[in-house]
């Protein structure tokens, strides 16, 4: 076969190869363009949904739960070597004040009992999870444990000892940090971290050397304060 024939036979194959190579970059460029457009569209959709959700929650304006102390009892109360020991039971009601949104509270292991003149934690408790429908209400009774808790400083311990032995009254604070989740129709869940402070819970001990005390009557003024943490 002559060189001319060979050349004419090879040329069609070379032309096909050149056309295929030329079309490949065009295909890759089209795919990259499509992916970029898709990513931009998804980001814009996410931003739009977030904005609409934020505006909707501003309109709904959910209020934090209301905490009310029902009871507070102390038993086996002892003061020894700057340490405070006892068994404490804390009865509390939690109400959802919202007429539109339901709410839930996660389990909290961060419920702390303190002497009201000290920042030292003398006992800890946990509060179970709960779900409250609109305007719903539930009660819980956390029990505090004083194992492995902090001792009071000398001056604080002396003040508590004086309150206990002389006045037969000791004032406590209960502080808890909880996560609240609000739900309203099809909106994404809104969550908030709050600090609940139940202050000046005065336990009265009726007689000398009495180790059992109960909450002093405050005329129904036992609401706790709630602040965003």
């Amino acid at each position: 076969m002559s060189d001319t024939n060979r050349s004419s036979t090879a040329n069609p194959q070379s032309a096909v190869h050149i056309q295929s190579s030329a079309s490949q970059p065009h295909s890759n460029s089209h795919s990259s363009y499509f992916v970029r457009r898709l990513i931009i569209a998804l980001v814009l959709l996410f931003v739009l949904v977030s904005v609409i959700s934020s505006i909707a929650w501003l309109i709904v304006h959910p209020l934090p739960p209301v905490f009310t102390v029902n009871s507070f009892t102390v038993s086996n109360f002892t003061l020894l070597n700057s340490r405070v020991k006892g068994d404490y039971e804390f009865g509390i009601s939690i109400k959802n004040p919202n007429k539109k949104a339901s709410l839930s509270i996660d389990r909290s292991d961060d419920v702390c009992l303190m002497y009201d003149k000290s920042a030292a934690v003398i006992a800890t408790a946990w509060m179970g999870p709960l779900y409250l429908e609109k305007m719903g209400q539930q009660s819980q009774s956390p029990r505090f444990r004083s194992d492995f808790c902090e001792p009071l400083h000398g001056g604080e311990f002396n003040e508590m000892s004086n309150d206990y032995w002389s006045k037969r009254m000791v004032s406590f604070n209960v502080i808890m940090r909880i996560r609240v989740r609000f739900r309203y129709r099809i909106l994404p869940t809104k969550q908030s971290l709050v600090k609940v402070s139940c202050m000046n819970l005065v336990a009265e001990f009726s007689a000398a050397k009495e180790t059992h005390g109960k909450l002093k009557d405050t005329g129904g003024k036992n609401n706790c304060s709630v602040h965003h943490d």
Side-chain angles (χ1 to χ4, degrees):
M1 184 181 295
S2 65
D3 292 338
T4 305
N5 291 336
R6 289 176 182 173
S7 176
S8 63
T9 304
N11 284 341
Q13 296 177 354
S14 300
V16 171
H17 178 71
I18 292 171
Q19 290 177 357
S20 176
S21 300
S23 63
Q24 187 172 358
H26 177 73
S27 176
N28 292 339
S29 175
H30 181 75
S31 299
S32 300
Y33 176 76
F34 175 77
V35 170
R36 285 197 301 269
R37 292 292 297 270
L38 179 61
I39 292 173
I40 292 172
L42 291 175
V43 170
L44 290 176
L45 179 61
F46 174 78
V47 171
L48 180 63
V49 170
S50 299
V51 170
I52 293 174
S53 175
S54 299
I55 294 172
W57 276 119
L58 285 174
I59 295 172
V60 176
H61 188 59
L63 300 173
V66 176
F67 292 78
T68 304
V69 179
N70 296 328
S71 62
F72 179 67
T73 58
V74 183
S75 57
N76 302 318
F77 189 68
T78 57
L79 301 172
L80 183 64
N81 298 328
S82 297
R83 290 193 175 274
V84 183
K85 291 189 176 181
D87 299 317
Y88 313 88
E89 186 169 345
F90 179 58
I92 190 167
S93 293
I94 305 102
K95 181 179 179 180
N96 177 8
N98 297 289
K99 297 180 179 179
K100 296 180 179 179
S102 60
L103 66 82
S104 61
I105 297 177
D106 294 349
R107 168 178 165 143
S108 174
D109 294 310
D110 192 16
V111 183
C112 301
L113 178 72
M114 295 175 283
Y115 176 45
D116 76 336
K117 299 173 184 177
S118 170
V121 177
I122 60 176
T124 58
W126 64 271
M127 191 173 72
L130 58 88
Y131 174 79
L132 295 174
E133 288 285 358
K134 306 164 191 174
M135 303 300 292
Q137 182 170 323
Q138 288 188 29
S139 297
Q140 292 208 6
S141 300
R143 292 177 177 270
F144 290 89
R145 294 176 58 86
S146 54
D147 303 340
F148 311 112
C149 287
E150 308 167 47
L152 296 179
H153 297 299
E156 297 167 350
F157 183 79
N158 292 336
E159 281 195 78
M160 177 179 271
S161 298
N162 182 64
D163 290 344
Y164 174 63
W165 292 110
S166 301
K167 302 177 182 178
R168 308 306 301 153
M169 293 186 296
V170 179
S171 183
F172 298 90
N173 298 330
V174 174
I175 307 294
M176 63 184 91
R177 289 176 170 82
I178 59 174
R179 185 188 304 274
V180 183
R181 302 178 191 272
F182 299 97
R183 293 177 175 82
Y184 177 69
R185 296 186 179 178
I186 63 171
L187 291 181
T189 300
K190 176 183 174 63
Q191 66 178 22
S192 178
L193 293 173
V194 298
K195 177 182 178 181
V196 183
S197 304
C198 305
M199 313 298 284
N200 301 319
L201 304 177
V202 179
E204 286 187 306
F205 299 84
S206 57
K209 297 184 179 180
E210 176 63 68
T211 62
H212 291 68
K214 64 179 181 178
L215 183 66
K216 180 181 178 181
D217 184 15
T218 58
K221 299 179 180 179
N222 288 328
N223 282 357
C224 306
S225 61
V226 181
H227 303 283
H228 291 285
D229 202 2

